[in-house]
Amino acid sequence: MRRSLTLLGAASLLALAAGPALTAEFPFNAGWRMATGDLAGAEALAFDDAAWKPVTLPRAFNEDEAFSRDIHEHSTGITWYRKRFVLPADQGPAVGGRAILDFEGVRQAGDVYVNGVRAGGHENGATAFGVDATKLLKPAPFINVIAVRVDNDWKYKERATGSGFQWNNNNFNVNYGGIHRAVRLRLTGDLHQTLPLYTSLGTTGVYVWADQFDIKGRKATIHAESQVRNDGAKARTFAYRVTLKDVDGKPAGQFTAPAVTIAPGETKTVSASQRLSDLHFWSWGYGYLYAVTTELVEDGKVVDSALTRTGFRKTEFRNGTVFLNDRAIQVHGYAQRTSNEWPALGTNIPPWISDFSNGLMVESGGNLVRWMHIAPARQDVESADRVGLMQAMPAGDAESDVSGRRWDQRVEAMADAIVAFRNNPSIIFYEGGNENISEAHMAELKAVRDRLDPHGGRAIGSREMLDSKVAEYGGEMLYINKSAGKPMWAMEYSRDESARKFQDAFTAPFHADSPSYNRNQDSMVVETVQRWNDYWVERPGGGDRVSAGGVNIIFSDSNTHFRGDNNYRRSGEVDAMRIKKEGFFAHQVMWDGWVDVEKPRSHIVGHWNYAAGTAKDVLVVSSADSVELVLNGKSLGKGAKSDGFLFTFKDVAYAPGTLTAIARDAKGKEVARDERVTTGPAVALKLTPRTGPGGWKADAADIALVDVEAVDAAGRRVPTALDMVSFDVAGPAEWRGGIAQGDSRSETKPTDTPVSASGEPVTKGPAGVDAVTQYAGSNRKDDNYILAKTLPVEGGINRVALRSTLAAGKVTIVAKAEGLKPATLTLDAEAAPAEAPLLPVSLARGPTPSTPAFKIRRDAIKAVEITAGSNADKVSASVDDDEATHWASDGQLENAWIEYRLPKAQQVDEISLKLIGWRIRSYPLRITMDGKVVYEGEAPKNLGYVTLPLKAAKGSRLRIALTGATADRDAFGKIVEVTGAKGGFDTGAEKVKTGGALSIVEAEFYKKR
């Protein structure tokens, strides 16, 4: 049960209204005061905090620095928070019950004081924790005081051991310090269900799951169990009742377990289950959730109640593939920093903003978000439930395995996160490490999963883990894995950076790639398509060994480590304000399907507003078989197809008008089209608001987003506009602004990082104590217009944020730019309701389709005998489904061949090869079938596997031979986050010298269907 909160008088004291319920859970975010500095005596009941800043949580003290400073320069120190409130006289401690403060997170370490006495705290900065305030709180009319001291020092050491935390790391885990996540207060009677606060309180709460699925019949057996505590002085006998309501609030089932008796001071787990029908199963883009109420019923009266919002789905992890609700799904999505932050807000955002951001991932075709390094916020986990986005959940790490107390901290964080999120259907993977961990450590984490979430249908694994016998999935950062067993998906790929402002070499500010990873939007799309196609070619349906997919790093630009000329990372498919870049639309095209593309799409990259005389390559991303380009009704012919989805039209002469891309299938039928129209010059500004589902709430925490566009006379956004816009705001609102390339202080600065003769930045030294790369980027120390009331549009658009205050009323925003008609927008900041309604779920993609997710397009052919010119005893390693092994010849060119005998004479259409040093090593090859040459050339460098088409020829002996010396040169541009410590960029290049050696990790032979 949840009950309303009210503010008491001018003192702004939070009171909890009295009532008959014995269990109540309250948001506990309003009415706080905040001050920086280690203030002596600030925990005391009588301390004078009148001069402190009033805030509504969550509120990091250094939010102003989000995107205005390099992650390494974010302020640290001590922050204090205080709150006064009145407890009811007939609930919680007043009637023998409990009062639990539930903190979703503080950064880094927090001490919680209740009425001047330390009641508890937390030091890991990553997971939720609870404080039992029962003995220290007093009922009405006493005014209680909660004080919290938070230390966000990068070098914070655990008090009991002197150990730091591996994830308190200034490359990956941005340091928004203070109470940076929400807080709740829970009041119970003496007989109550516990909360899922494992390490801090030793409690596990409610656990709901489903099994015995009949997906087609829409049936499953639903289970619920609760940890129940009797804090009273006498034994209690009660029944355990479970009630389900569907997404519309209609009854969906009810069942009750027989009565149980629990002794005074005893903790007991109770459970109930029942098979239910007419169920809706949670799925990708189908965030169907049930409200599951678990009640303790004594003598016919409900004495305790807990509400769990959850969904039911079936998962399997086999044949190298992930299955959701009996349908194969290739992973495609994003590796996103857990901070998921916003300019000048950091993590201080309302839940609807999380839905907006995470929903965009789904809209782009993403089906999985892999949070990075620490456990995600409860707000983001619940948001992914609602929007239908699968999640991979870490607990706490940086890079590399660790030992001793730092490993124990990781195990504890994983236990906390599992208990906290085991009811969230979107959590599909538990991630044990951002790099490989030992087999013993993997087994230890798996045992934690088995003990705390044995029924959740979630795989546990880690990055790399190629030869692990324990991990249930694995993957890599910079290359492709394939498997016929456990799914292997790439956990980070396509790492280049591209600011939204830099469109192409023909559009101001005329940004050409420099160096290669610092791209414009045109070039970034080419990189995006090329990198995904590597995984697409190896998708399910392409043989026994397949790639389970991969996630692109990152989704939204992030205030973490960087490589371009900004102080933040710009690898996102949307910018920091979630304005879409071209990569967003490229992913929409390529990712519109569970495995195979299900809805053909096309996207013309960029705009059609150029100077007279311009001739440029026009790029179209399409999932069709062919694309024709038409300019003002005249055909320009068909584009050259490459990398599965990219169509290039060379040197198209610009002429104003309409440019249309018509996409057709193999039979010539039109299946999709896209167009760009030349706009007129910008003549006016346009403002468009974005608020939560219930409007903008005056709670000093809600955010209103406002889009500003430069438009032509027809109201169309002008895609080349870079106008400087100034804003005036009147009414009860706090300006938080937006972000843009450059500096509001108009300062010009050289880059800080030296550049080599080749144009590549010079990296700084080896990995540090946390085994992470030390690289400063080329930070110009721009402030990126953070908090500025004057900032430019980029590509004709920008977006700004305003925070509400506690005062309701009208807020007027006026936008002005020189030479353009100004725009005015009025928003209503409405009084916040006593109880916030549940946010809606998204059912946009519909239930899991019952049709197959892919067509089998080729069949694997197995060799029955393998011979080689040298090292013949190792040849089986080239076909053993183990990417940690390889065969290599002896270095003499005449011996650099391997031959596979097939079971019968037949035609082989394709060979898929993983060659040692695949990213950087060139291999001149000749492939013969019974002596006839079916391929000759240099195998393209790649992210793991290269598929070579063979000329038609039947035979039974297929030989691969090296025809010249191998040589190393990175084909992908220097990846500065990976140093020589990873020899050959994790390609095994250090294992086999260049020259006359043929080195094969895996070889596969295919017949097309």
Side-chain angles (χ1 to χ4, degrees):
M1 296 183 182
R2 296 180 180 178
R3 296 171 45 218
S4 62
L5 307 180
T6 57
L7 290 172
L8 294 185
S12 295
L13 307 183
L14 191 63
L16 309 180
L22 293 181
T23 300
E25 185 175 295
F26 308 94
F28 206 60
N29 299 313
W32 289 81
R33 290 180 174 271
M34 177 182 75
T36 57
D38 200 0
L39 307 174
E43 76 280 7
L45 190 66
F47 184 86
D48 184 4
D49 58 18
W52 289 18
K53 180 179 180 179
V55 295
T56 298
L57 301 181
R59 188 65 56 90
F61 80 95
N62 56 351
E63 65 173 357
D64 291 4
E65 299 170 9
F67 290 90
S68 71
R69 294 190 186 182
D70 174 356
I71 181 175
H72 305 91
E73 298 174 355
H74 283 184
S75 297
T76 61
I78 307 299
T79 309
W80 279 93
Y81 297 79
R82 285 171 59 90
K83 176 184 174 67
R84 293 175 171 83
F85 66 102
V86 176
L87 277 175
D90 61 348
Q91 281 190 293
V95 291
R98 316 298 293 178
I100 305 296
L101 292 166
D102 179 0
F103 289 83
E104 292 185 21
V106 302
R107 179 76 157 89
Q108 173 68 38
D111 293 289
V112 180
Y113 297 87
V114 178
N115 294 327
V117 179
R118 188 181 185 277
H122 199 55
E123 296 181 275
N124 79 21
T127 58
F129 68 98
V131 172
D132 190 335
T134 302
K135 295 180 180 179
L136 297 174
L137 289 173
K138 300 179 182 180
F142 188 84
I143 299 174
N144 295 278
V145 175
I146 304 293
V148 183
R149 179 186 183 271
V150 184
D151 183 349
N152 75 319
D153 189 347
W154 284 116
K155 301 301 180 183
Y156 180 86
K157 304 296 183 184
E158 189 176 48
R159 292 170 187 166
T161 66
S163 171
F165 293 86
Q166 188 190 17
W167 53 88
N168 190 15
N169 177 281
N170 65 0
N171 272 320
F172 308 127
N173 186 6
V174 64
N175 195 347
Y176 300 121
I179 307 180
H180 71 304
R181 294 179 180 172
V183 184
R184 302 177 188 180
L185 174 66
R186 190 167 192 254
L187 302 178
T188 74
D190 52 4
L191 179 68
H192 60 94
Q193 297 168 83
T194 66
L195 287 173
L197 297 168
Y198 187 68
T199 298
S200 56
L201 297 182
T203 57
T204 56
V206 178
Y207 183 30
V208 180
W209 75 92
D211 59 14
Q212 300 178 14
F213 288 94
D214 176 359
I215 298 297
K216 289 184 179 180
R218 295 176 53 198
K219 299 176 183 178
T221 300
I222 307 302
H223 304 259
E225 69 176 35
S226 294
Q227 186 185 60
V228 178
R229 174 77 181 169
N230 180 7
D231 287 316
K234 62 179 182 179
R236 305 285 290 273
T237 300
F238 62 92
Y240 182 61
R241 185 167 68 196
V242 181
T243 303
L244 282 77
K245 292 186 178 180
D246 67 14
V247 76
D248 297 316
K250 298 178 181 177
Q254 186 178 88
F255 45 96
T256 304
V260 297
T261 299
I262 184 169
E266 184 182 5
T267 301
K268 179 177 288 189
T269 297
V270 296
S271 62
S273 64
Q274 185 163 308
R275 190 155 185 81
L276 297 178
S277 58
D278 296 324
L279 292 172
H280 297 264
F281 296 114
W282 186 95
S283 188
W284 172 34
Y286 189 71
Y288 202 100
L289 300 177
Y290 288 87
V292 180
T293 302
T294 50
E295 298 171 315
L296 310 184
V297 182
E298 186 179 42
D299 297 329
K301 179 182 177 182
V302 176
V303 295
D304 184 84
S305 176
L307 175 65
T308 302
R309 202 180 190 197
T310 189
F312 310 115
R313 80 287 181 275
K314 179 183 179 184
T315 57
E316 294 178 274
F317 310 93
R318 55 179 170 80
N319 302 337
T321 304
V322 179
F323 292 85
L324 178 63
N325 299 332
D326 292 336
R327 197 176 203 239
I329 186 165
Q330 188 181 30
V331 167
H332 39 73
Y334 304 96
Q336 178 78 339
R337 299 298 184 198
T338 295
S339 49
N340 211 12
E341 72 269 38
W342 288 68
L345 294 167
T347 55
N348 304 337
I349 57 170
W352 80 265
I353 294 279
S354 294
D355 286 7
F356 172 59
S357 178
N358 297 332
L360 284 171
M361 293 194 211
V362 178
E363 185 184 335
S364 76
N367 57 37
L368 175 77
V369 58
R370 173 195 175 238
W371 303 110
M372 300 180 70
H373 299 291
I374 66 168
R378 183 184 297 167
Q379 178 169 306
D380 269 320
V381 172
E382 293 175 349
S383 170
D385 287 346
R386 292 190 293 269
V387 303
L389 179 64
M390 296 189 296
Q391 300 181 79
M393 183 203 79
D397 64 35
E399 287 184 343
S400 79
D401 206 349
V402 288
S403 59
R405 177 57 190 155
R406 289 204 301 168
W407 173 252
D408 293 339
Q409 290 167 343
R410 283 174 59 165
V411 175
E412 291 165 6
M414 179 61 76
D416 274 347
I418 287 176
V419 170
F421 299 136
R422 60 186 181 172
N423 293 320
N424 296 93
S426 53
I427 300 283
I428 303 294
F429 299 101
Y430 293 138
E431 180 178 298
N434 190 59
E435 277 202 10
N436 65 309
I437 58 177
S438 71
E439 195 77 335
H441 281 171
M442 188 74 256
E444 187 174 356
L445 292 181
K446 187 176 180 181
V448 172
R449 190 280 311 270
D450 291 345
R451 176 166 51 87
L452 298 175
D453 184 21
H455 309 295
R458 299 176 176 95
I460 190 161
S462 177
R463 216 177 83 192
E464 298 181 345
M465 307 310 290
L466 300 177
D467 55 351
S468 172
K469 300 296 187 279
V470 177
E472 296 166 337
Y473 75 95
E476 243 310 324
M477 181 173 75
L478 297 173
Y479 63 80
I480 299 169
N481 299 138
K482 292 168 64 175
S483 174
K486 63 189 173 193
M488 306 295 288
W489 49 273
M491 297 175 180
E492 302 172 34
Y493 78 91
S494 193
R495 304 169 68 79
D496 290 2
E497 298 196 19
S498 176
R500 185 174 62 83
K501 180 178 183 178
F502 301 136
Q503 300 188 61
D504 57 42
F506 303 92
T507 304
F510 309 109
H511 178 81
D513 294 351
S514 178
S516 59
Y517 55 75
N518 186 10
R519 298 182 179 276
N520 61 40
Q521 292 291 291
D522 268 17
S523 166
M524 190 67 167
V525 166
V526 174
E527 176 73 8
T528 296
V529 173
Q530 289 176 338
R531 297 290 67 79
W532 174 248
N533 187 59
D534 287 339
Y535 299 90
W536 170 253
V537 169
E538 307 301 341
R539 68 194 182 276
D544 299 331
R545 302 182 68 249
V546 298
S547 164
V551 291
N552 184 325
I553 179 172
I554 51 182
F555 178 66
S556 61
D557 291 353
S558 171
N559 197 184
T560 51
H561 65 158
F562 52 90
R563 299 173 298 175
D565 55 0
N566 297 95
N567 58 18
Y568 63 94
R569 190 183 190 111
R570 304 167 305 162
S571 302
E573 276 56 55
V574 297
D575 72 7
M577 294 299 292
R578 277 53 173 184
I579 300 174
K580 298 168 184 175
K581 302 183 191 179
E582 291 295 320
F584 180 96
F585 303 104
H587 282 142
Q588 269 191 328
V589 171
M590 299 186 295
W591 289 353
D592 196 340
W594 283 56
V595 179
D596 292 345
V597 171
E598 294 165 9
K599 178 184 177 183
R601 294 177 183 255
S602 289
H603 174 73
I604 300 173
V605 179
H607 59 86
W608 198 238
N609 279 37
Y610 291 98
T614 299
K616 74 176 296 275
D617 292 354
V618 172
L619 305 174
V620 179
V621 184
S622 179
S623 49
D625 292 280
S626 67
V627 176
E628 178 187 10
L629 198 63
V630 177
L631 177 57
N632 295 327
K634 180 181 178 181
S635 176
L636 303 181
K638 294 182 178 180
K641 186 176 183 179
S642 62
D643 301 299
F645 299 92
L646 190 65
F647 294 82
T648 303
F649 299 82
K650 300 291 291 185
D651 295 322
V652 176
Y654 170 72
T658 301
L659 185 70
T660 305
I662 303 173
R664 296 183 174 91
D665 64 17
K667 297 180 180 180
K669 178 183 177 182
E670 181 180 332
V671 292
R673 68 167 55 202
D674 192 26
E675 71 176 27
R676 297 290 176 270
V677 178
T678 307
T679 71
V683 299
L685 295 176
K686 176 184 176 183
L687 298 177
T688 304
R690 297 175 184 268
T691 60
W696 192 22
K697 302 307 179 188
D699 59 3
D702 200 11
I703 299 296
L705 301 175
V706 178
D707 292 359
V708 56
E709 297 174 272
V711 298
D712 69 3
R716 300 172 297 189
R717 183 194 308 171
V718 179
T720 54
L722 299 168
D723 299 85
M724 191 67 70
V725 180
S726 62
F727 292 86
D728 292 315
V729 179
E734 178 188 354
W735 176 262
R736 303 310 299 171
I739 190 171
Q741 297 292 301
D743 199 299
S744 66
R745 301 163 295 191
S746 301
E747 296 177 6
T748 301
K749 315 168 200 67
T751 59
D752 296 328
T753 300
V755 177
S756 68
S758 67
E760 298 289 353
V762 179
T763 56
K764 288 177 51 182
V769 293
D770 284 329
V772 295
T773 304
Q774 302 300 304
Y775 176 70
S778 49
N779 181 9
R780 290 168 44 88
K781 297 188 182 298
D782 291 343
D783 72 359
N784 306 309
Y785 292 91
I786 299 302
L787 291 174
K789 284 195 173 180
T790 299
L791 70 163
V793 292
E794 297 178 340
I797 186 171
N798 215 321
R799 179 173 291 152
V800 296
L802 297 93
R803 179 185 282 141
S804 66
T805 69
L806 292 175
K810 293 188 179 299
V811 177
T812 300
I813 304 104
V814 178
K816 300 177 182 178
E818 185 176 354
L820 304 183
K821 181 181 178 181
T824 300
L825 174 70
T826 299
L827 296 172
D828 286 319
E830 302 173 348
E835 182 177 347
L838 292 176
L839 287 173
V841 302
S842 173
L843 305 177
R845 290 190 60 89
T848 302
S850 59
T851 54
F854 61 85
K855 293 181 180 179
I856 298 175
R857 62 191 182 280
R858 63 186 189 185
D859 295 307
I861 301 171
K862 304 293 186 183
V864 294
E865 182 183 16
I866 310 173
T867 56
S870 55
N871 294 330
D873 59 325
K874 301 289 180 60
V875 292
S876 63
S878 69
V879 293
D880 62 357
D881 193 23
D882 185 349
E883 295 176 7
T885 65
H886 69 278
W887 166 84
S889 63
D890 62 5
Q892 302 300 312
L893 187 59
E894 62 270 22
N895 298 329
W897 62 266
I898 187 168
E899 185 171 282
Y900 300 87
R901 184 167 69 85
L902 309 181
K904 64 179 181 179
Q906 56 191 301
Q907 180 172 314
V908 178
D909 297 313
E910 295 176 337
I911 290 183
S912 180
L913 292 174
K914 184 171 228 182
L915 302 167
I916 284 284
W918 53 85
R919 264 181 52 90
I920 63 176
R921 186 161 296 177
S922 60
Y923 283 87
L925 298 178
R926 179 183 297 123
I927 302 174
T928 59
M929 177 68 82
D930 286 356
K932 181 178 181 180
V933 176
V934 292
Y935 175 89
E936 187 155 19
E938 185 173 300
K941 297 164 189 172
N942 54 83
L943 284 186
Y945 283 86
V946 59
T947 295
L948 303 177
L950 305 184
K951 295 177 183 177
K954 282 191 174 183
S956 62
R957 293 187 178 274
L958 192 150
R959 176 178 289 208
I960 305 170
L962 191 68
T963 60
T966 63
D968 283 354
R969 187 180 185 281
D970 192 3
F972 294 83
K974 186 171 179 62
I975 295 185
V976 298
E977 292 161 296
V978 180
T979 70
K982 287 286 186 184
F985 307 104
D986 276 342
T987 67
E990 77 284 359
K991 298 176 182 178
V992 181
K993 293 181 179 179
T994 56
L998 175 62
S999 313
I1000 300 176
V1001 178
E1002 293 290 332
E1004 301 165 357
F1005 317 111
Y1006 294 108
K1007 173 70 176 176
K1008 287 185 177 180
R1009 284 201 179 187

